Amino acid sequence: MNRIKIIFVLSILLCFFKTFGQNPIPVLQKPFDSGIEAIKISPDRNHFITVEGDVKSIGGFDVKLWDYDSKIIINQHHFEGENGIGSGKIELLNNGDIILSKNQSLVRFNLLSKVSKELFKVKWPEFIHDYKFTEDYNIIVSTKVYSEKENDVYDITNQSSLYVVENEKIKTKKEFKFEIPTIQYNDKLKTIVIGNNKGEAHFFDFNLNETQEKLAFFKKKAISFIYLTDTGYVLVNPALPFGKKGYSPDLKEGIFKILNINDASFLKTIKLPNQDAPKKDPNEISFMDFNPTNIVKDIIVNNKNIIISYG
């Protein structure tokens, strides 16, 4: 299905929200072998990476490291894909380092030296669901816990664990009766915020003690993206439904809700405009009960701006 992608930028500053478009001109050395699934920029803005291929397929994917200014490819590496619900999530650090999630481990890999180091590991029945790292490179990890009754990777288990990892050692662990598709850490507020599959946001300190009451955003929708601003605004985006009770780990609905942890009366909803739906092939196999036209694929946070790719 051909999708038209539109870039929206939401500027979040107190109650003020603004959208505008961008049309950057990419500089490429040669055609790409496959579509670009993601672009990441290093914190020092010396490098960026492009991710090509399916991060969850057997065929794997390629990561290319580029010089930010000259747009010249410095190095590249092929990785094997894994089909876990949280596998294939990549973050770019400085000096060519990336963090890559696999089914049951987090790996730090240097694209220049090709040196790999395991940072975190769990065993069956746990699979990594999401992770975030702090400014001093400590890591928060959520895992999905399976049982013998759940055979499919997308089956709802309502069992999860949350880990805080310091200096590559587990500092704290907490278990929950829900799933944790998304995590964010606010360095200024020293707060971990998680979004669960019941539409709720929970807040913790670095010892995993709850710091305030949970916020309820949706009744029957999993939160797939969550972001806590320095001023206490919480922006969330729901996952796209998958099957009868499940949800997609990668695709999101075109709707956002914002609440404020300091003002219970504040609520704002942003719904992205619908687009003309493409004609559906009657022979096409569909995993959805509907044909949405405003599916959100990527959400990138940059200071006070949120860049949304949807179509």
Side-chain angles (χ1 to χ4, degrees), residues 18-180:
K18 178 181 179 182
T19 63
F20 59 94
Q22 297 187 72
N23 294 295
I25 302 174
V27 180
L28 305 178
Q29 292 175 264
K30 60 181 181 179
F32 287 84
D33 296 329
S34 58
I36 298 176
E37 291 297 316
I39 297 175
K40 303 283 185 176
I41 300 173
S42 64
D44 60 9
R45 303 186 76 84
N46 288 331
H47 302 99
F48 68 92
I49 58 171
T50 53
V51 181
E52 304 169 47
D54 189 349
V55 297
K56 295 184 185 296
S57 74
I58 297 176
F61 56 98
D62 294 305
V63 177
K64 293 179 180 178
L65 179 68
W66 301 69
D67 178 77
Y68 186 87
D69 293 323
S70 67
K71 310 299 184 292
I72 293 176
I73 297 174
I74 301 172
N75 216 335
Q76 66 183 64
H77 189 80
H78 181 79
F79 295 88
E80 298 298 327
E82 297 186 359
N83 68 342
I85 194 166
S87 65
K89 295 185 177 183
I90 302 173
E91 294 295 338
L92 176 62
L93 309 180
N94 294 329
N95 304 313
D97 276 335
I98 64 169
I99 295 181
L100 169 65
S101 63
K102 298 186 175 183
N103 284 350
Q104 295 175 306
S105 64
L106 288 179
V107 175
R108 185 167 184 159
F109 184 87
N110 188 276
L111 292 166
L112 297 172
S113 66
K114 306 289 186 175
V115 173
S116 178
K117 185 177 184 180
E118 190 174 80
L119 303 177
F120 175 80
K121 187 176 180 63
V122 292
K123 297 180 180 180
W124 176 260
E126 291 186 77
F127 269 39
I128 289 175
H129 210 158
D130 195 23
Y131 74 92
K132 290 294 185 293
F133 56 89
T134 67
E135 286 185 348
D136 48 5
Y137 296 109
N138 294 318
I139 307 173
I140 304 111
V141 187
S142 69
T143 64
K144 180 171 179 174
V145 183
Y146 291 86
S147 70
E148 294 180 359
K149 295 181 180 179
E150 284 83 30
N151 297 316
D152 188 89
V153 68
Y154 299 112
D155 285 345
I156 300 298
T157 67
N158 283 323
Q159 300 285 338
S160 65
S161 295
L162 187 64
Y163 295 86
V164 172
V165 181
E166 286 188 347
N167 300 318
E168 302 172 24
K169 295 182 179 180
I170 296 174
K171 174 187 176 182
T172 317
K173 175 185 176 182
K174 194 167 186 175
E175 298 178 349
F176 300 93
K177 297 294 184 182
F178 50 68
E179 297 179 10
I180 308 173

